[in-house]
Amino acid sequence: MRYALFALLIIMLYVSLAPKLLPEKYNIAVNMPSEKEILAPMQIQNTKATLKAQEEAAEAEKPVYTKISLRNEAIITEMLDQIARINQDDQVSREDKISIYRQDLPQIFQTHIQNFIMSSRNSGNYSSTFLDEVRTRINEQMYHISEETYVKLPQLTPEDIAEMKPVASDIVGRLMYDPATEAQTTRVKVAEQVSSSSLSKRISREIVQELARYVITANKFYDEDATKDAKVKARENTAPVYIKQGDVLVPKGQIITQEMYTLLKDNGLLKNEVNYWPQVGVALLSVLLAVGLYMSIRQPEASVRFKYNNSQLAMLLLIFLITLLSMHLLELLHNDRRPYLGYLAPVAVGAMLITLLLDVPLAYIASVIFSVVASIVLNIHQGQIFDFYYGLFTLVTSFVSIFSIHRASQRASILKAGVMVSFFGALLVAALIMINSSGWDQTSTLYALGFAFASGLLATIMVFGLMPFFEVTFGILSALKLVELTNPNHPLLRKLLTETPGTYHHSVMVGNLSEAAAEAIGANGLLCRVGSYYHDIGKTKRPGYFIENQNGMENPHDFIDPKLSKSIIIAHARDGVEMQKEYKLPKPIRDIAEQHHGTTFLHFFYHKALKQAEEQGVEPDFTEDDFRYPGPNAQTKEAAIVGIADSVEAAVRSLHKPTVNQVETMIEKIIKSRLDDHQFKECDLTMRELDVVGQTLKETVMGIFHSRIEYPDDVKITKNNDGKEREKDGDSPGVEQ
C-alpha cells in the first residue's frame, strides 16, 4: 500500500508538471484547415526564418581581399643590374642590346612572380586557388614597356644606372606599400614620384618611370577561400530567429501549408510524431521528487508513528494535491501581462498542514518539493524551465510558516503564523524587485507586494478550513486538538471533576508523570497527558467503588462478592471508551483508556475469591484468566507509558510516608511485573526505553511528592494494615478501589 501511495504521488507530480513542460500535440494534415488556434507552447526556433537570415548575412558579407608582398622593388633593381651588364659589353651591337632588353626584362619579371607563387604554394601560406587568382590578375593587368624605352636603354652609363637604382627601388617600394586591387591606380602616381626625385637627367627619369610602371602590380587580391569562410562564419554568427511563447503559429481555420506543417513537425507538435524523451524527462523528474520524499521518511530518525501509517501517507498525498491545485488555479490567471498574480498562490498551505498534522522535518522536505513545482508551474518566462522568483518565494514562505507554527498550541497561533508568512513574503518580493526592477512599474510593484501579503492570509484561511476535515476524516490528533481537549470545561472533564474529584486529581498526576516519561524517550508527551486526563473517565459511572473517591466511607467491596467487585473494576475501562465515543473523542484517546491496563491480573480479588471458596469448602469455578482485564495490551508507547504511570501514581499515593528507596523499588517492581506479564509485547517499547521511563518517573515523582517522601536511608518500608507489604498494583484494593 505504501508503494502504491508513492506511485500515486509520482503520477500526481507528473500530471502537475506535464502541461508546463510538454507541448500539446495536434492532429493536422497539409492542405487541411486547422480546427483550433495553435500557439507556441514555448520559445521555438523558426527554421525557415533562421535560414533566410543566415543567407542574408552571408550575402551581406563583403568579398575578402588579401594583401601580399611581391617585393616588386627587387624586380626593378634586378632589371637595372641586367641593363648595366648588357651595356658594359662592347662586343654587342646596339640593335642586339635592344633585342636582348625586349627578351630579358619580361623574363626577369615573370621569373620573379613565378618564384613567389611556387614558394608560397610549397610553404602553404596561401591556397592554390588564391595563387592562381594572383597569377591571373597580374597577367591581366600587365604593363607593356614602350619601344622608345628599349631604344633609350643602351644610352645609360654605369653612373646613370647607379643613380637610378636607389631612386627606382624607393619609388616602387613606397607605391607598393599601400594596398591596391588595380595596378593602374598605383601606376598613375609614378610620374609624380619620379618628378620629385633626385634624378637629374631627363633620360634617367623617363626610363625609371617606365620601368616602375612595368614592375608595379596589384598587391591585394580576391581570396575565394577566405570569402567562403567569412560567409560560413556569418551564417554561424547569425542569431536564430525564435517564435515567442504564446505567439500564434497557426490561426484557427488557416489552411495548413507544407511550411507550417514542417514547422510543427520539427518542434514535435504533431500527434503522429512520436518522441518519448520529453515524457521520460518529466517522469524522471517526478520520480526523483517522490523518491526524495520517500527517503526522508525512511530515515531512522523519522517519526515512527508516521513511518508505518498508511493513513497518514494518504493524508500527505491529499495535502500535496490541495497545494498543487492551488498553484494551478492561480496559473490559469497568471501571464506576462500580470506577472504579480503568481505571488497570490497560497503555497505555504502545504507546509503548514504537514507541520500541524504530521511532522516538522517532513514539512521542510515537502517545502523544497513545493518550491521546485512552483518554479515550474508559475513560470511565465520564455525559454526557461524554472522561475527562480516563485521558487524562492515558495521556499521562504514555507520555511517561515513551519518555524512560526511548529509549536502552535492554540488556533490563534495559525493566524499569527499567517501574518508572519505574509510579512516575510512581501519583504522577499520587495527585495527581489529592488534587485531587478526592470519591467516593474509602481502599479505592478504595489500589486506584487499586496498579493504576496495576501498569500499568507489566504493560506491561513485554507488551513483553518481544512484542519477539522483532516482531523475528522483521518482521525488525526493535532497538537491544537490535543490542547483543546485539556480544557477543564470539556463536558467529560467537568463531569470527572465534579463527580469524582479523587479520580480527577489522580488523572492529572498521571498526566504529569506520563508526559515527562514520554518526552524522555521521544514519544508524544502531549498525547500521554491528554490520554491520562480521560483514561479513567469510566469511573464516573460507579465512583464509590474506587478508593480515591471513598473519602473515609466504608469500602463497598467488603460487602459484595469478589467476582462482582472484579466486574465493576474491569468495567471502568470499557465504560470509559463508550463515554468517549458518545462525546466523539479521537480514537488515540479512546485507545489509551481501553489499553492502559492491558490484560493485567487483579490479584486481590482473585485471592479473596479463592479464600471464600476454601472457607465454603467448594472447588473454585474460576481461573486466573477470569480475573484479568480483557485488554487489549498496549499497542503504542503512549498507552504503555500511561499504564505504567497510572500504577506508579496509585502506588505512591497508597504509601503513608514513602522514601526514596521505596519509590525507586516500587517503580522497578511495577515495570518488571508488567514486563514479566508480557504487557509490552504488542508495542515497540525497548528495554532501554523502559529504563529511561523508570528513571524519569522516579525523578518526576520526587518532584511532585517532594514534601511527602522521606530521604534517610534507614527508614523502613511501611506495611499495610494487614501486616503485609502491599503489592503496588493499580488494581489492588488499597490502590485502585
Side-chain angles (χ1 to χ4, degrees):
M1 177 59 69
R2 184 159 56 245
Y3 294 142
L5 290 173
F6 272 97
L8 186 60
L9 175 61
I10 293 173
I11 295 173
M12 188 188 307
L13 290 171
Y14 181 89
V15 172
S16 179
L17 299 176
K20 296 293 290 187
L21 300 179
L22 299 179
E24 183 181 357
K25 301 279 187 174
Y26 299 94
N27 186 17
I28 60 175
V30 179
N31 299 326
M32 296 295 291
S34 175
E35 296 180 356
K36 59 171 66 175
E37 183 180 59
I38 301 178
L39 303 178
M42 62 188 73
Q43 180 174 275
I44 60 178
Q45 184 175 340
N46 190 334
T47 306
K48 182 178 179 181
T50 300
L51 290 174
K52 182 180 179 182
Q54 290 174 346
E55 289 303 319
E56 290 176 353
E59 290 297 326
E61 192 70 25
K62 295 180 179 180
V64 177
Y65 287 84
T66 302
K67 181 178 180 295
I68 61 175
S69 175
L70 291 169
R71 298 187 69 251
N72 302 61
E73 64 272 15
I75 302 176
I76 197 169
T77 300
E78 187 176 352
M79 286 181 174
L80 290 172
D81 289 339
Q82 180 67 4
I83 293 170
R85 284 192 293 271
I86 294 172
N87 286 351
Q88 289 177 358
D89 191 349
D90 296 334
Q91 302 297 323
V92 181
S93 66
R94 183 173 183 275
E95 287 74 15
D96 291 339
K97 289 180 179 179
I98 294 173
S99 178
I100 294 173
Y101 296 148
R102 290 193 187 99
Q103 181 181 351
D104 285 0
L105 295 185
Q107 184 65 38
I108 291 172
F109 180 85
Q110 291 296 335
T111 301
H112 183 87
I113 298 300
Q114 183 64 27
N115 289 338
F116 171 82
I117 291 175
M118 290 298 296
S119 63
S120 297
R121 194 186 304 275
N122 293 333
S123 64
N125 293 335
Y126 303 102
S127 66
S128 297
T129 305
F130 176 72
L131 293 174
D132 292 341
E133 175 71 13
V134 171
R135 187 198 305 274
T136 301
R137 293 292 169 263
I138 289 176
N139 291 333
E140 288 178 353
Q141 301 175 18
M142 180 68 69
Y143 183 82
H144 298 284
I145 301 175
S146 65
E147 189 65 24
E148 182 181 356
T149 301
Y150 287 122
V151 173
K152 294 179 181 178
L153 289 178
Q155 302 177 21
L156 295 175
T157 65
E159 291 77 13
D160 293 336
I161 295 175
E163 182 185 13
M164 292 166 59
K165 281 173 60 177
V167 174
S169 177
D170 180 63
I171 290 173
V172 172
R174 280 190 282 110
L175 291 176
M176 290 297 297
Y177 180 79
D178 296 327
T181 57
E182 295 290 336
Q184 186 58 33
T185 59
T186 305
R187 288 169 181 156
V188 297
K189 302 176 183 178
V190 172
E192 181 182 355
Q193 294 289 326
V194 172
S195 298
S196 61
S197 68
S198 60
L199 294 176
S200 56
K201 291 184 179 181
R202 178 178 179 181
I203 187 173
S204 298
R205 290 196 299 271
E206 290 175 351
I207 293 174
V208 167
Q209 179 175 304
E210 195 71 4
L211 292 178
R213 287 174 177 168
Y214 181 71
V215 301
I216 285 176
T217 63
N219 60 1
K220 186 177 181 181
F221 302 91
Y222 171 70
D223 193 334
E224 183 179 357
D225 292 336
T227 301
K228 290 179 179 179
D229 291 340
K231 290 181 179 294
V232 170
K233 289 182 179 179
R235 291 187 183 94
E236 293 175 350
N237 295 332
T238 301
V241 178
Y242 288 101
I243 299 173
K244 293 182 179 180
Q245 182 182 20
D247 285 356
V248 178
L249 294 177
V250 180
K252 184 178 181 180
Q254 175 75 39
I255 300 298
I256 302 298
T257 63
Q258 184 62 48
E259 178 185 340
M260 293 178 181
Y261 186 86
T262 303
L263 177 63
L264 298 175
K265 178 181 178 181
D266 292 343
N267 290 278
L269 298 178
L270 300 181
K271 285 187 177 181
N272 56 355
E273 292 296 321
V274 180
N275 181 13
Y276 294 112
W277 290 116
Q279 290 89 336
V280 173
V282 176
L284 183 59
L285 177 60
S286 303
V287 169
L288 290 175
L289 294 176
V291 168
L293 185 68
Y294 177 78
M295 295 306 295
S296 68
I297 293 173
R298 294 292 296 171
Q299 292 301 311
E301 61 271 16
S303 173
V304 174
R305 68 180 184 277
F306 176 74
K307 191 162 62 173
Y308 301 108
N309 193 326
N310 291 333
S311 174
Q312 290 178 313
L313 281 175
M315 180 173 61
L316 177 64
L317 259 66
L318 185 55
I319 293 174
F320 262 81
L321 178 62
I322 292 171
T323 307
L324 296 179
L325 284 176
S326 68
M327 295 181 191
H328 281 282
L329 287 175
L330 263 297
E331 189 265 338
L332 295 175
L333 304 174
H334 188 216
N335 52 50
D336 54 358
R337 295 186 299 275
R338 295 187 293 270
Y340 42 77
L341 264 176
Y343 295 118
L344 184 60
V347 288
V349 65
M352 296 173 77
L353 287 173
I354 295 174
T355 302
L356 290 169
L357 300 173
L358 295 171
D359 231 0
V360 172
L362 180 63
Y364 282 111
I365 300 298
S367 297
V368 175
I369 297 175
F370 290 146
S371 66
V372 173
V373 175
S375 66
I376 296 174
V377 172
L378 298 176
N379 177 35
I380 57 173
H381 296 291
Q382 301 170 3
Q384 296 182 9
I385 297 177
F386 303 98
D387 190 319
F388 168 79
Y389 280 33
Y390 296 113
L392 182 62
F393 176 77
T394 302
L395 190 66
V396 169
T397 53
S398 296
F399 277 18
V400 169
S401 68
I402 296 170
F403 179 80
S404 303
I405 209 171
H406 76 286
R407 293 186 181 276
S409 59
Q410 301 179 25
R411 299 284 175 179
S413 301
I414 300 178
L415 181 59
K416 295 178 182 177
V419 173
M420 291 290 288
V421 171
S422 297
F423 175 75
F424 279 97
L427 203 62
L428 173 67
V429 171
L432 293 176
I433 292 176
M434 291 177 189
I435 293 172
N436 183 15
S437 58
S438 59
W440 290 92
D441 54 24
Q442 185 176 2
T443 303
S444 297
T445 300
L446 291 177
Y447 272 122
L449 294 175
F451 285 144
F453 192 87
S455 173
L457 299 180
L458 182 58
T460 303
I461 294 172
M462 292 180 66
V463 171
F464 270 122
L466 292 170
M467 279 288 290
F469 165 77
F470 281 109
E471 290 173 345
V472 173
T473 304
F474 294 93
I476 294 297
L477 258 182
S478 65
L480 299 176
K481 182 67 175 178
L482 286 171
V483 171
E484 288 178 355
L485 291 175
T486 62
N487 189 343
N489 289 323
H490 190 283
L492 284 181
L493 291 184
R494 192 185 308 117
K495 180 181 180 67
L496 188 68
L497 175 61
T498 57
E499 298 181 10
T500 57
T503 300
Y504 178 83
H505 179 265
H506 161 72
S507 299
V508 171
M509 301 305 289
V510 172
N512 293 333
L513 294 172
S514 62
E515 182 178 34
E519 291 180 348
I521 64 169
N524 192 335
L526 185 56
L527 176 59
C528 285
R529 171 181 287 276
V530 179
S532 298
Y533 286 178
Y534 293 90
H535 81 290
D536 276 344
I537 198 69
K539 291 181 179 181
T540 57
K541 286 200 171 184
R542 305 173 188 86
Y545 285 87
F546 299 91
I547 191 170
E548 68 266 20
N549 299 315
Q550 291 173 1
N551 294 325
M553 62 179 286
E554 290 185 347
N555 191 339
H557 292 285
D558 295 337
F559 310 104
I560 62 176
D561 185 78
K563 295 180 182 178
L564 179 59
S565 296
K566 176 264 302 185
S567 299
I568 293 173
I569 295 298
I570 288 176
H572 85 276
R574 181 181 64 253
D575 293 338
V577 173
E578 295 300 325
M579 294 175 67
Q580 291 183 38
K581 284 183 179 179
E582 182 181 350
Y583 283 88
K584 295 183 173 53
L585 262 65
K587 190 175 185 301
I589 304 298
R590 303 200 305 267
D591 289 343
I592 289 176
E594 185 178 24
Q595 300 168 13
H596 75 282
H597 283 299
T599 58
T600 52
F601 183 43
L602 296 172
H603 295 271
F604 178 80
F605 294 114
Y606 174 72
H607 290 296
K608 183 178 178 181
L610 279 180
K611 186 176 180 181
Q612 284 185 0
E614 182 181 350
E615 290 175 352
Q616 295 172 5
V618 296
E619 284 294 323
D621 58 350
F622 53 86
T623 64
E624 287 189 4
D625 290 340
D626 294 327
F627 283 82
R628 284 185 177 273
Y629 279 91
N633 287 329
Q635 304 295 303
T636 63
K637 291 182 179 182
E638 289 78 11
I641 291 171
V642 171
I644 296 172
D646 179 49
S647 296
V648 168
E649 195 282 333
V652 171
R653 183 165 35 83
S654 70
L655 298 176
H656 176 58
K657 288 185 178 181
T659 66
V660 174
N661 290 337
Q662 274 185 300
V663 170
E664 187 171 357
T665 302
M666 175 196 64
I667 293 175
E668 292 176 356
K669 185 176 180 181
I670 290 173
I671 293 177
K672 185 177 185 303
S673 173
R674 292 199 169 219
L675 190 61
D676 293 341
D677 200 22
H678 305 292
Q679 295 300 309
F680 305 132
K681 66 180 180 180
E682 296 179 30
C683 68
D684 52 357
L685 268 175
T686 65
M687 295 298 293
R688 181 176 181 180
E689 289 174 335
L690 281 173
D691 289 340
V692 175
V693 168
Q695 182 64 28
T696 305
L697 287 175
K698 172 190 170 184
E699 295 172 357
T700 309
V701 166
M702 297 299 183
I704 295 175
F705 298 100
H706 184 273
S707 60
R708 292 182 50 199
I709 297 177
E710 298 183 7
Y711 286 84
D713 294 335
D714 57 348
V715 178
K716 296 181 180 180
I717 296 178
T718 303
K719 303 292 184 178
N720 287 311
N721 54 13
D722 58 359
K724 297 179 180 179
E725 182 180 341
R726 177 72 65 192
E727 178 174 334
K728 307 306 183 288
D729 182 84
D731 301 313
S732 59
V735 177
E736 186 68 40
Q737 296 174 28

